[in-house]
Amino acid sequence: MLKLQNVQTFYGNIQALKDVTIQISEGEIVSLIGSNGAGKSTTLMAICGIVPPRSGEILFMGQPITHMEPDRIVSLGICQVPEGRRIFPHLSVLENLDMGAFLRKDRSQIKRDMEYLFELFPLLAQRRHQAGGTLSGGEQQMLAISRALMARPKLLLLDEPSLGLAPLIVKRTFEIVRKINTENKTTIFLVEQNANLALKVAARGYVMENGRITLTDSSENLLANEGVKKAYLGF
Amino acid sequence: MDYFLGLFLGGLTRGSIYALIALGYTMVYGIIELINFAHGEIYMIGAFTALIVISVLTLMGMNTIAILVIAGVIAVVYSSAYGYTLEKIAYKPLRAAPRLSALISAIGMSLFLQNYVLLAQTSDFLPFPNLVPDFEFMEPYAHIIGSAEIVILITTAIVMILLTILIKFTNIGKAMRAASQDKTMALLVGINVNRVISFTFVVGSATAAIGGVLIASHIGMINFYIGFIAGIKAFVAAVLGGIGSIPGAVLGGFVLGWTESFATGYISSDYEDVFAFLFLVLILIFRPQGILGRSDKHKA
Ligand SMILES: Nc1ncnc2c1ncn2[C@@H]1O[C@H](COP(=O)(O)OP(=O)(O)O)[C@@H](O)[C@H]1O
Ligand SMILES: [Mg+2]
């Protein structure tokens, strides 16, 4: 479904991604783990067309999207919940969700999707007229995921969804990620520093160090790998 | 009392013109954090366009109100085209450059457009016909407020209401707000941010052109330089209200209009233009975010 081939990305003269090759099939949950500054967020921004690669190729369902405009990429069905969630702080919860559905035209279906999400997250329904910036971290997380789902993505990119959240909310988030994957058949690419969590929900994963993919294997094998244990699992 | 009321309404009229122009500054700043110094010139071009259209239509012997409306519409279209082009050639290529570059480009465009009109038209003041007839029903109040001022107030009110609806309830309006809060996130939900920026310039130019036509017909003459002083005052209004805030621009316009009006009425008209700058200095010292401005706006 998604294929990155020898992708190289630069910020000015600094190379952030070196020869990155990643492949994700339809219906999978795949994780990308690595420490802070490894290049995980840059990988997602490259896929979304925010930081286009200098060389290499990105294919989505066989179509090259390497140098496509971000809005075209969204319209093909790729959506990202970025690091830090980036809720529009002065837009209401409803307006944030509207923005998630920005490229859709099917009004009645949009309304139904919104009702569905409000059922899933009753707290959001209660706060629908409140500004996004006034929500708690956990509520913002639910809103960020809902906003992405409003676009009905085929591929959902999640950047460190566990970051800065209470354990209970992290647990809930990962339950929802699993639910989205099984119920909506949405393919998920999950970026995490918390390797333990990520490898439990994903079937397989990639390890990134200094802008390079250094290892890829099934989650089971990665969890058992001595190097991964030392570097990312804390024992 | 009538004197006070007269000054109050005069200030309101003046302030609503400042507000119409200030809206363009504040909307553009809200979305690309650039003070568009050429904005006053867009307003001036609106006034010139209207004058040319009016001259032609008057020769054809049309009804004056119809002339004013047609001239207004053409001025709006023309100014919007200038605003759109201005952004595309002078600001868009500098989007990734340091902010000072875009600012210098803005000042350059301002000077360029002034001199372009100076050469293409004239350096003299040109008379601008007053096309608003004295309404009969206004006669009892004529010592407080004139018909032209009523037309200005009503037009401004309509423009503000339409703009509020546009920004609060339409998809493009929500996209404008989203892009001004977080451009990367706006891209990630599929908003074409370049298009939103162009649209912002078009809307801001349109309101400036409406202001230009209204004030020109009220004051009765124009030249290539009118955009400069009106632009500075509208800029003060925008900063006063809190640059980036749309209600702030309107409030700032009114506050500046009233101050000028009362100061001229009760103190002396010699100092009329001083107040705008006095305000600018005071606000920058004591409340740099303006009356309604948000100091938290510029996060990552
Ligand atoms: N906007 C940027 N400008 C310059 N350098 C950046 C930018 N964003 C990230 N970087 C650099 O690129 C590298 C990878 O960053 P990032 O992709 O955010 O890592 P991760 O998400 O794995 O923590 C880091 O060295 C970081 O400092
Ligand atoms: Mg990151």
Side-chain angles (χ1 to χ4, degrees):
Chain A
M1 173 175 235
L2 181 76
K3 208 174 192 176
L4 279 77
Q5 234 154 13
N6 308 103
V7 167
Q8 321 250 18
T9 299
F10 290 76
Y11 291 109
N13 288 324
I14 302 161
Q15 186 163 11
L17 297 183
K18 297 162 191 159
D19 220 20
V20 170
T21 296
I22 290 172
Q23 191 154 0
I24 298 170
S25 308
E26 194 157 356
E28 275 193 300
I29 303 184
V30 175
S31 67
L32 173 64
I33 59 178
S35 48
N36 203 9
K40 306 181 297 298
S41 298
T42 306
T43 307
L44 296 192
M45 290 301 179
I47 297 170
C48 291
I50 307 288
V51 199
R54 189 171 292 182
S55 70
E57 198 171 25
I58 304 176
L59 297 169
F60 181 62
M61 312 214 292
Q63 186 179 2
I65 58 167
T66 322
H67 298 288
M68 234 181 227
E69 291 295 320
D71 55 314
R72 288 279 321 280
I73 294 174
V74 174
S75 74
L76 292 178
I78 301 182
C79 254
Q80 186 184 158
V81 178
E83 194 175 326
R85 299 173 269 284
R86 302 182 89 146
I87 295 303
F88 296 115
H90 306 295
L91 296 189
S92 69
V93 167
L94 271 177
E95 289 170 336
N96 267 282
L97 293 174
D98 281 344
M99 289 299 97
F102 187 75
L103 290 175
R104 288 174 59 184
K105 302 276 175 278
D106 45 342
R107 278 182 183 279
S108 59
Q109 191 62 46
I110 291 175
K111 197 149 179 61
R112 239 171 300 156
D113 286 1
M114 217 179 265
E115 290 310 319
Y116 168 78
L117 288 168
F118 280 152
E119 239 164 75
L120 198 60
F121 306 114
L123 266 175
L124 288 186
Q126 274 177 36
R127 306 206 190 295
R128 63 177 81 197
H129 296 296
Q130 216 166 301
T134 64
L135 268 52
S136 72
E139 290 162 355
Q140 290 198 1
Q141 175 77 291
M142 301 308 145
L143 179 55
I145 293 176
S146 302
R147 180 179 59 187
L149 292 179
M150 285 304 292
R152 296 208 153 198
K154 298 189 179 85
L155 170 65
L156 182 61
L157 313 174
L158 294 165
D159 197 345
E160 306 216 26
S162 75
L163 196 72
L165 292 181
L168 207 67
I169 295 170
V170 173
K171 187 160 166 275
R172 173 113 171 86
T173 306
F174 280 81
E175 280 167 18
I176 285 162
V177 169
R178 218 180 253 123
K179 188 175 151 96
I180 295 165
N181 176 253
T182 49
E183 284 183 10
N184 307 359
K185 308 272 174 286
T186 309
T187 310
I188 290 171
F189 189 34
L190 172 65
V191 162
E192 263 298 342
Q193 267 190 69
N194 189 334
N196 213 350
L197 273 171
L199 293 173
K200 270 183 192 143
V201 60
R204 57 189 192 87
Y206 291 83
V207 178
M208 182 173 253
E209 278 170 36
N210 294 320
R212 251 180 234 289
I213 300 292
T214 52
L215 193 61
T216 173
D217 209 330
S218 70
S219 295
E220 214 176 326
N221 289 345
L222 286 176
L223 280 166
N225 183 298
E226 287 304 323
V228 172
K229 271 189 190 172
K230 264 214 194 76
Y232 305 110
L233 299 175
F235 45 75
Chain B
M1 192 59 209
D2 277 359
Y3 185 63
F4 174 84
L5 208 59
L7 291 178
F8 179 85
L9 291 172
L12 195 65
T13 312
R14 198 187 261 258
S16 56
I17 300 287
Y18 293 151
L20 280 177
I21 309 171
L23 283 169
Y25 278 112
T26 226
M27 284 194 291
V28 164
Y29 186 86
I31 210 152
I32 55 173
E33 290 178 23
L34 168 77
I35 305 294
N36 176 16
F37 273 108
H39 187 56
E41 275 59 53
I42 298 291
Y43 146 99
M44 177 267 294
I45 285 170
F48 266 92
T49 310
L51 180 60
I52 294 167
V53 175
I54 288 167
S55 313
V56 173
L57 294 183
T58 310
L59 284 177
M60 291 164 60
M62 235 188 227
N63 163 293
T64 56
I65 285 279
I67 291 180
L68 192 61
V69 171
I70 294 173
V73 170
I74 295 179
V76 162
V77 171
Y78 217 74
S79 287
S80 299
Y82 266 93
Y84 178 88
T85 314
L86 174 72
E87 193 270 329
K88 282 276 179 281
I89 62 174
Y91 304 144
K92 187 161 177 255
L94 295 171
R95 196 78 51 76
R99 249 201 264 176
L100 191 60
S101 313
L103 207 60
I104 291 168
S105 183
I107 294 170
M109 285 315 288
S110 166
L111 292 173
F112 168 75
L113 289 172
Q114 278 179 33
N115 286 290
Y116 160 66
V117 173
L118 169 68
L119 291 175
Q121 302 292 327
T122 166
S123 65
D124 298 331
F125 269 98
L126 297 173
F128 197 104
N130 178 9
L131 294 172
V132 180
D134 286 326
F135 302 123
E136 251 170 66
F137 66 89
M138 285 298 299
E139 230 159 70
Y141 314 103
H143 58 294
I144 303 173
I145 184 168
S147 298
E149 285 163 317
I150 281 287
V151 169
I152 291 178
L153 285 178
I154 292 173
T155 312
T156 310
I158 292 171
V159 170
M160 306 255 173
I161 290 167
L162 289 178
L163 196 64
T164 307
I165 292 171
L166 174 83
I167 286 170
K168 263 199 121 50
F169 301 114
T170 67
N171 258 348
I172 183 85
K174 284 181 215 167
M176 278 169 77
R177 284 185 287 145
S180 79
Q181 289 167 34
D182 188 339
K183 237 173 253 92
T184 303
M185 193 60 228
L187 288 168
L188 286 176
V189 296
I191 294 169
N192 184 331
V193 172
N194 282 333
R195 201 173 301 158
V196 169
I197 292 172
S198 292
F199 183 76
T200 306
F201 270 83
V202 166
V203 173
S205 304
T207 57
I210 293 169
V213 176
L214 291 173
I215 194 77
S217 119
H218 186 45
I219 291 180
M221 52 189 180
I222 60 173
N223 80 344
F224 72 96
Y225 200 60
I226 56 165
F228 181 75
I229 195 79
I232 291 275
K233 287 195 181 170
F235 171 64
V236 171
V239 173
L240 190 61
I243 189 123
S245 157
I246 288 172
V250 177
L251 183 66
F254 287 156
V255 169
L256 186 62
W258 279 320
T259 311
E260 286 189 354
S261 180
F262 286 123
T264 357
Y266 288 118
I267 305 172
S268 156
S269 63
D270 296 346
Y271 297 110
E272 187 187 316
D273 289 342
V274 171
F275 288 97
F277 299 102
L278 191 65
F279 251 140
L280 185 60
V281 172
L282 290 178
I283 202 86
L284 288 177
I285 294 173
F286 293 110
R287 196 175 159 81
Q289 76 270 36
I291 303 172
L292 298 181
R294 294 194 278 249
S295 46
D296 66 343
K297 224 194 126 259
H298 309 295
K299 15 92 244 172

